[in-house]
Amino acid sequence: MSDSNSHFPPPVAPERGTTLRDHVLAGMRAAPGATGEFTSLLSHISLATRIILSRVRQAGLANMLGYTGEINVQGEAVQKLDEFANSVLINVLERSGHCGIIGSEELDAARTAGHPGKYIVLFDPLDGSSNIDVVSTIGTIFAVLRRVDPTSPPSSSEALRPGRDIIAAGYCLYGPSTVMVLTTGQGVNIFTLDPDVGEFFLSQSNVMCPPRGSLYSCNEGNFARWTDGVKNWSNWIKGEDKEEGRPYGHRYVGSLVADAHRTLLKGGIFAYPADSKSPAGKLRLLYEANPMAFIFEQAGGVATTGSERILDLAPTALHQRTPLVLGSRDDVKDYVDFAAGNR
Ligand code: AMP
Ligand code: P6P
C-alpha cells in the first residue's frame, strides 16, 4: 500500500529545534502585558529579510546587479538591490501597522507612517552593497525603539534617539548561509535559515563575544589619514610579540555586517576610526553603529567611538556619521589607550 504521505516533503524533524517564531513568541509570553505588536513587528522584519534574500540570490541572473544610475543622500551610487531592499522593508513595515517612524540609509529623511504606530525602526537595508557585484557577504541591519507617545501623530524627529533607548536590534547576513542575529535586550541569539523550509532555526543561543581575540579588522588603506594614536595602535597590533599573541591576523571584508559578525563570534576588534578624509567617521550612527553597539554590549563586548560609548551619543541628524570601534573588551581597551596617546 503506498504511503499516503509519500508526496509530502519530509516533516520538519523536531530536532530541528526552535524557530525564530517560537523564540519571539516565548519572549512575548515572558513580557508582562505584551499585546503581541512587538512580536508581530519582529516577524514582519523577518519576512522582509526573506524577501530581500530571494532577490539577492537571483541578483546575478535577474539583471539586479549594478547601479540604478541614482545617487543617494550619502552621495553614493544606488545599487538596484539597495533600492529593492529599501522598498521591501518600507512596504512590509508600513503594512504591519506597528511602525510609526521609519529611518533608512536610502531615505533622505525619516518617514512617518500614516498611522500612530507604536515603534520606530531604523535600518540599513543592504549594508556592504558595494560588494554585491563581487559576491561578497552583505546584510540588513536594524534597530527598534519604542515611541515615547504612540498616540501622538508621528514626527520624523522622533528617530533621533540615543542608542541606549534601543529595545531590539539585529542584522541578517546574506552569505554562504543566511543568518539572523537578534537581541531584544536579553542576550544575543543567532538563527540560521533553512531555505527548504523557509524558516530561521535557532543555531546559537546567548552568544558571547570573547574577552580577547586574535584578529583585527580595519581598512589599512586609510593608515596615512589616521591620528598618530591610531597609527601607533595599528603598528603595535601587527608587531611581533609571541607572549602577547601578536601580530594579530588581519581580516577585512568591507561589509560592516560581515566584519562585525566575525568579530562577534571570534573576538578581536573592528575599527573604522575618524580620519583626515572623514573627520566624523564614515559609518552611520543610527542604523549601523547603534544597532551593532547594542548587539555587542548584549554579548559582553564593547562599542565606542574610541573615546565615548556609542550608545550614549545624542544624535542630531538621521545620517549622522561616527567613528566605530567594536569587539572584545580587552582588545578595544588596547585601542582606546593608544588612541588617547596613553601608550
Ligand atoms: P507589545 O505590547 O507587544 O508592543 O510589547 C510591549 C513591550 O513588551 C515591547 O515593547 C517589549 O519591550 C516587550 N515585548 C513584547 N513582546 C516581546 C518579545 N516577543 N520579546 C521581547 N520583548 C517583548
Ligand atoms: P571602506 C559599506 O559600504 C560600508 O558602509 C560598511 O558596510 C563597511 O564597513 C564600510 O562601508 C567600508 O568602508 O571605506 O573600507 O570601503
Side-chain angles (χ1 to χ4, degrees), residues 234-314:
S234 170
N235 288 328
W236 171 81
I237 204 161
K238 49 178 176 274
E240 191 79 41
D241 183 322
K242 252 193 180 44
E243 267 183 27
E244 289 198 357
R246 287 181 290 116
Y248 273 33
H250 182 250
R251 298 285 184 280
Y252 193 69
V253 176
S255 285
L256 173 62
V257 278
D259 288 317
H261 190 63
R262 183 195 54 251
T263 307
L264 178 70
L265 297 186
K266 293 183 176 281
I269 183 169
F270 168 88
Y272 207 110
D275 62 34
S276 54
K277 180 186 165 202
S278 316
K282 172 179 183 180
L283 300 177
R284 288 82 171 178
L285 173 61
L286 288 183
Y287 43 78
E288 289 180 336
N290 271 345
M292 283 301 176
F294 186 72
I295 291 163
F296 269 79
E297 290 199 3
Q298 283 288 315
V302 175
T304 171
T305 60
S307 55
E308 292 172 84
R309 181 186 181 225
I310 290 286
L311 295 182
D312 285 338
L313 298 178

Side-chain angles (χ1 to χ4, degrees), residues 149-201:
D149 175 5
T151 61
S152 63
S155 152
S156 54
S157 61
E158 292 180 62
L160 305 182
R161 297 263 292 281
R164 63 172 172 271
D165 289 352
I166 288 173
I167 58 166
Y171 54 86
C172 190
L173 269 182
Y174 312 115
S177 60
T178 301
V179 159
M180 173 75 81
V181 176
L182 177 69
T183 177
T184 56
Q186 289 89 30
V188 177
N189 295 293
I190 300 180
F191 302 83
T192 301
L193 184 74
D194 178 331
D196 298 333
V197 176
E199 279 284 3
F200 284 103
F201 287 88

